[in-house]
Amino acid sequence: MGLQCGIVGLTNVGKTTLFNCFSNTKAETSDYAFSASKSNVGTAFVPDPRMHELRKRQPSEKLIHTTVEILDIPGLAKGANQGEGVGNKFLADLRNTDAIIHVLRCFDSANLPHIEGSIDPVRDIEILDFELQVKDLESVEKKIQRYEKLVKAGDKEAKKGIEVLQTIKAHLDNLQNIRTMGLTDDEYKFVADLSLLTVKPIMYVCNVDDASAKNGNKYSDAVVKALEGSGALVLVIAALMESEISELESEEERMEFLSDAGLSEPGVNRMLRAAYALLNLQTFFTIGPKEIRAWTMKKGYTAPNAAGVIHSDLERGFIRAEVMKYNDFITIGSELACKNQGKLHIEGKTYIVEDGDILNIRFNV
């Protein structure tokens, strides 16, 4: 669907190591600050255990998972908004993403000094927030200037826009992120064209040492406490360990090493599912003997919208959707049984597709 999450953080926090855990494109890692010259782009499969449960009831030749696109943005530093490190170019890359994964260094290493001289992930959140707030402030101030000219020409809508922009400016001046303002659609339309950085949804990944993979450590605990009440998701992942495990050849070996670390699945799996949700995405399924496929849709899609995800002809010629709920199908065990028990529903053009729905689209073109 063309939606993208950006992985950000200060330099040498383990962003690229995390990226390499799941990406189909392996990127080079380095112990040197600002060694990367460009952002890395990769596509990752979104792990969904429901696919395997569906296959148990509907034998199928293959499973096709949904994907999410991840942009690994090289490390930033204090002063990035003024071009420090490799700042301006990569802040521009971040502007083009739809959501943010902020990776925080929560491990000690004598061989990898922190650019700020000590390990303090809460301070690192404040540094990155400030850099993004400054860039947003620049954008908002420029638009205020444009609207002031329109107001002089008698544009009433521009006058309302200035009021909204001044409120946003005051929020940024107070070192607050725009996403905490709760802007209405009517207010947001005045800044929709700016691709503001601090309005993007965000989640935090605490990159910990191997021993802290299961329960975290004092650094990740400090992050959780600092973000308490914000509604932000915080995940704990030992990126170096997981990147090494991901290189193992067999699934059996990978699961054995994860089990030794006290994990039932890779932490990056949880991160990818969370990133998918952060982008406001949901999944519906189509099932059959040739393939079971997960399809990506935005929350709130109608049945014809979902049909269009499969093929534009299905949306254009949409007649109806035959819908089974995932839990009904898993419990009852087959499409025929669902039909016999009244659990296969016929839905029209106004039906809002829910996460996990199993669809069969009837159409005519």
Side-chain angles (χ1 to χ4, degrees):
M1 297 185 70
L3 296 177
Q4 198 176 63
C5 270
I7 298 182
V8 301
L10 300 188
T11 189
N12 286 352
V13 298
K15 297 181 311 307
T16 303
T17 302
L18 182 68
F19 177 83
N20 286 340
C21 291
F22 56 78
S23 174
N24 57 356
T25 308
K26 298 301 181 186
E28 185 179 350
T29 61
S30 172
D31 288 350
Y32 298 100
F34 314 122
S35 57
S37 59
K38 61 183 176 65
S39 298
N40 302 303
V41 183
T43 301
F45 292 108
V46 180
D48 193 333
R50 294 176 296 183
M51 300 280 280
H52 301 283
E53 293 301 318
L54 289 170
R55 196 180 211 172
K56 291 176 184 176
R57 278 84 175 168
Q58 169 60 67
S60 190
E61 291 177 16
K62 59 182 176 180
L63 302 180
I64 302 177
H65 291 265
T66 57
T67 60
V68 62
E69 194 169 273
I70 306 289
L71 185 69
D72 168 33
I73 296 170
L76 301 172
K78 189 184 290 184
N81 69 83
Q82 298 170 335
E84 286 297 320
V86 289
N88 276 327
K89 179 183 182 300
F90 300 120
L91 286 174
D93 286 350
L94 181 60
R95 199 177 292 283
N96 294 324
T97 64
D98 301 282
I100 298 172
I101 301 170
H102 187 176
V103 180
L104 299 162
R105 178 167 169 177
C106 295
F107 63 89
D108 294 302
S109 172
N111 297 324
L112 192 65
H114 193 290
I115 193 168
E116 290 296 314
S118 62
I119 309 301
D120 185 348
V122 176
R123 174 206 59 210
D124 295 350
I125 291 174
E126 293 169 353
I127 289 173
L128 193 74
D129 277 354
F130 179 75
E131 299 302 324
L132 304 188
Q133 288 159 6
V134 169
K135 295 304 288 186
D136 279 355
L137 194 57
E138 289 175 7
S139 299
V140 169
E141 288 174 339
K142 286 177 183 175
K143 188 149 193 183
I144 288 174
Q145 290 171 7
R146 292 203 303 271
Y147 272 5
E148 284 173 343
K149 293 176 183 176
L150 293 174
V151 168
K152 289 177 182 177
D155 190 322
K156 293 181 180 179
E157 189 73 0
K159 184 178 179 182
K160 184 180 177 183
I162 286 180
E163 291 173 3
V164 173
L165 287 163
Q166 290 289 7
T167 303
I168 294 172
K169 180 180 181 300
H171 197 70
L172 290 167
D173 282 335
N174 286 326
L175 303 181
Q176 300 296 312
N177 296 314
I178 300 171
R179 74 178 70 89
T180 65
M181 290 185 68
L183 293 175
T184 65
D185 289 343
D186 278 345
E187 292 169 329
Y188 182 69
K189 69 182 181 183
F190 293 108
V191 293
D193 61 323
L194 300 181
S195 298
L196 296 171
L197 298 165
T198 68
V199 79
K200 299 180 189 295
I202 191 168
M203 62 183 283
Y204 297 89
V205 172
C206 295
N207 184 15
V208 299
D209 55 282
D210 295 3
S212 306
K214 183 179 180 181
N215 298 315
N217 56 28
K218 63 180 181 180
Y219 299 126
S220 61
D221 290 345
V223 171
V224 171
K225 185 176 180 181
L227 295 172
E228 211 167 41
S230 70
L233 177 65
V234 180
L235 296 177
V236 172
I237 298 177
L240 181 59
M241 180 188 75
E242 293 208 12
S243 68
E244 292 169 348
I245 291 175
S246 72
E247 296 290 335
L248 297 174
E249 290 187 7
S250 74
E251 178 69 14
E252 186 179 347
E253 281 182 297
R254 290 193 290 270
M255 291 310 298
E256 184 180 340
F257 274 90
L258 285 168
S259 179
D260 288 345
L263 303 175
S264 59
E265 67 170 341
V268 291
N269 285 8
R270 290 181 287 115
M271 188 199 80
L272 289 169
R273 288 195 293 269
Y276 192 73
L278 201 63
L279 291 168
N280 203 32
L281 300 176
Q282 291 185 150
T283 299
F284 70 90
F285 301 106
T286 54
I287 62 174
K290 288 191 175 181
E291 67 176 38
I292 292 173
R293 183 163 187 158
W295 300 88
T296 300
M297 65 174 183
K298 292 282 281 185
K299 289 180 182 177
Y301 264 23
T302 61
N305 294 150
V309 172
I310 301 172
H311 196 284
S312 58
D313 284 351
L314 274 67
E315 182 172 15
R316 184 160 52 91
F318 180 88
I319 299 172
R320 66 180 183 272
E322 297 172 355
V323 183
M324 292 180 289
K325 297 298 178 185
Y326 170 80
N327 287 335
D328 289 340
F329 183 81
I330 295 302
T331 302
I332 298 170
S334 73
E335 182 176 340
L336 179 61
C338 284
K339 189 172 184 179
N340 290 338
Q341 295 187 34
K343 295 298 184 181
L344 189 152
H345 307 284
I346 305 300
E347 302 290 354
K349 292 183 177 181
T350 60
Y351 176 69
I352 303 298
V353 181
E354 297 181 353
D355 185 61
D357 278 357
I358 302 167
L359 302 185
N360 183 29
I361 305 297
R362 299 296 184 184
F363 71 105
N364 183 38
V365 290

